[in-house]
Amino acid sequence: MQQPIPSTMHAVLLTGHGGLDKLEYRTDVATPAPKDGEVLIRVLAAAVNNTDVNTRIGWYSKSVTQDTAASANGDFTRDAEDASWSGTPLKFPLIQGADCCGIIVNVGEGVDPARIGERVIVRNMLRGPVNGAPFACWTYGSECNGAFAQYTVAPSVDTWPVRSDWSDIELASIPCSYSTSELLMQRAQVTGKDIVLITGASGGVGSGAVQLAKCRGAKVIAITSEDKKQDVLGLGADEVVIRGSDLVRTLGKESVTVVIDLVGGSDWSQLLDVLVKGGRYAVSGAIGGPLVQLDLRTVYLKDLTLVGCTWQDDAVFQSLINYVESGKIKPLVSKVYPLSEIATAQETFLSKKYAGKIVLTPPK
């Protein structure tokens, strides 16, 4: 029997750009109602991502030059006019949460009522609000409310049923990180002939990238810390390079065909040095710092292809669902917190002491 839908719910409101004090846990937030083409989801689990922290601290603003961790401990005196995925000011209060696993409990006009009862995950790069326009960013939990709540609404077209024996917590670890990983694989055209170097390999996107590169038959060299080496090898990496190592000395010049980068930072130029002539570099993050030193001669003399990866077409999420349902990938969840402890969860996330994902669960 379906539970009655309450008029109010527990949720975390982001009240502005800033520190953890901007996360306000409330028990009296109005439960949203689905509009035309939308579904109402009872959230079962929601994972923490870099984008949640980056959005909170305003890291996407071009005025920010530090890495995520340093910026999170800053004074937050920055230009918020471009501090979002879309480059436009955010509207507060905002319910964040780019990852959602839940049950559809109601539908809006134009949505088949038979969808009620489906266990679903939400595509974080929403297509519905932008009518499927290419390279238009409308991000779940950024440009609209997300999953850090007991209930959330999402476009039906962006809400995908998943037939899997994974737990709700495991499924919640997938949408944002692993869809980004799959996007990187597709944009970099990774195949079984490639030797792929992955930075930040113990994080959510990195751990997904290791698995998805192996699904394609590629050889994977992963960069991570010594304490997470066994975790990454357990995901299928063929070789691990300890973060901070001299890549040219360790791997040799022109030793990899693809670089998947999530870090950026001061050692970035080494990534191009180890790429073969005609190699491909794909990036979707810069937690180690957004500003890098690039010698354009390296790019054109080696005929390198550099690809930025954010927007996703339908093929990305469909492929991801197929990998989950066929059991070809596995989640990596390290810690679970109740939604009310979101500040602690984000502090743990920023400490980078754990491999894989941190997941929040709202009250039932």
Side-chain angles (χ1 to χ4, degrees):
M1 182 176 179
Q2 184 177 331
Q3 297 179 357
I5 300 170
S7 60
T8 60
M9 65 177 183
H10 294 223
V12 177
L13 301 183
L14 178 67
T15 58
H17 293 298
L20 292 168
D21 60 304
K22 296 296 185 180
L23 296 171
E24 183 179 345
Y25 185 80
R26 297 277 295 273
T27 62
D28 59 351
V29 177
T31 302
K35 298 176 183 177
D36 292 358
E38 292 183 336
V39 297
L40 176 66
I41 301 167
R42 179 166 62 86
V43 179
L44 301 173
V48 177
N49 289 279
N50 275 306
T51 187
D52 303 315
V53 177
N54 287 338
T55 296
R56 170 172 60 79
I57 66 177
W59 183 87
Y60 293 112
S61 172
K62 293 296 192 298
S63 64
V64 178
T65 60
Q66 294 177 301
D67 61 66
T68 295
S71 298
N73 294 316
D75 60 8
F76 309 109
T77 303
R78 60 195 54 157
D79 181 5
E81 291 301 304
D82 63 343
S84 70
W85 284 60
S86 62
T88 58
L90 295 179
K91 296 180 180 179
F92 300 107
L94 171 70
I95 299 174
Q96 292 186 282
D99 276 331
C100 177
C101 173
I103 300 287
I104 294 178
V105 294
N106 198 6
V107 299
E109 290 292 328
V111 180
D112 188 349
R115 296 211 64 185
I116 294 174
E118 289 181 354
R119 187 169 72 145
V120 297
I121 58 177
V122 178
R123 173 167 49 189
N124 62 297
M125 297 299 297
L126 301 178
R127 305 287 311 282
V130 293
N131 297 315
F135 304 109
C137 288
W138 195 272
T139 311
Y140 184 61
S142 177
E143 277 65 49
C144 63
N145 287 336
F148 290 161
Q150 286 180 297
Y151 293 87
T152 184
V153 293
S156 178
V157 69
D158 293 304
T159 306
W160 295 60
V162 184
R163 297 164 184 85
S164 170
D165 61 1
W166 290 11
S167 70
D168 303 325
I169 288 169
E170 290 172 328
L171 280 178
S173 73
I174 293 298
C176 181
S177 291
Y178 280 62
S179 67
T180 303
S181 304
E182 177 62 15
L183 173 66
L184 286 158
M185 295 297 113
Q186 293 189 19
R187 291 274 183 87
Q189 301 178 352
V190 174
T191 72
K193 297 179 180 180
D194 284 310
I195 301 172
V196 182
L197 178 65
I198 301 172
T199 69
S202 62
V205 180
S207 60
V210 169
Q211 296 181 65
L212 291 168
K214 292 305 297 180
C215 283
R216 288 163 164 81
K219 177 181 178 180
V220 172
I221 304 172
I223 300 177
T224 190
S225 58
E226 180 68 49
D227 60 317
K228 298 171 187 171
K229 177 178 179 178
Q230 294 306 315
D231 291 311
V232 175
L233 288 171
L235 293 171
D238 298 284
E239 183 180 344
V240 166
V241 174
I242 303 306
R243 186 175 64 237
S245 300
D246 185 311
L247 295 181
V248 174
R249 182 176 300 173
T250 303
L251 300 176
K253 283 189 175 183
E254 301 184 6
S255 54
V256 304
T257 58
V258 175
V259 168
I260 301 296
D261 187 24
L262 313 165
V263 175
S266 58
D267 295 329
W268 182 84
S269 61
Q270 293 187 55
L271 299 176
L272 302 192
D273 292 335
V274 297
L275 271 173
V276 300
K277 290 182 174 65
R280 292 102 69 199
Y281 165 93
V283 59
S284 69
I287 61 171
L291 302 185
V292 298
Q293 187 170 11
L294 169 63
D295 188 331
L296 287 173
R297 291 167 295 190
T298 302
V299 177
Y300 72 78
L301 290 175
K302 293 181 68 172
D303 287 290
L304 301 180
T305 299
L306 277 59
V307 184
C309 302
T310 294
W311 178 80
Q312 303 170 11
D313 61 18
D314 289 340
V316 171
F317 216 75
Q318 183 60 69
S319 293
L320 180 59
I321 297 293
N322 293 343
Y323 282 123
V324 171
E325 293 185 337
S326 64
K328 291 183 178 180
I329 58 175
K330 59 183 179 181
L332 181 60
V333 176
S334 295
K335 300 280 284 185
V336 180
Y337 292 90
L339 181 62
S340 58
E341 296 181 20
I342 187 172
T344 301
Q346 288 198 5
E347 286 180 323
T348 302
F349 179 86
L350 283 167
S351 75
K352 302 301 180 185
K353 293 181 180 179
Y354 299 94
K357 297 300 290 282
I358 293 171
V359 177
L360 299 165
T361 55
K364 295 183 179 179

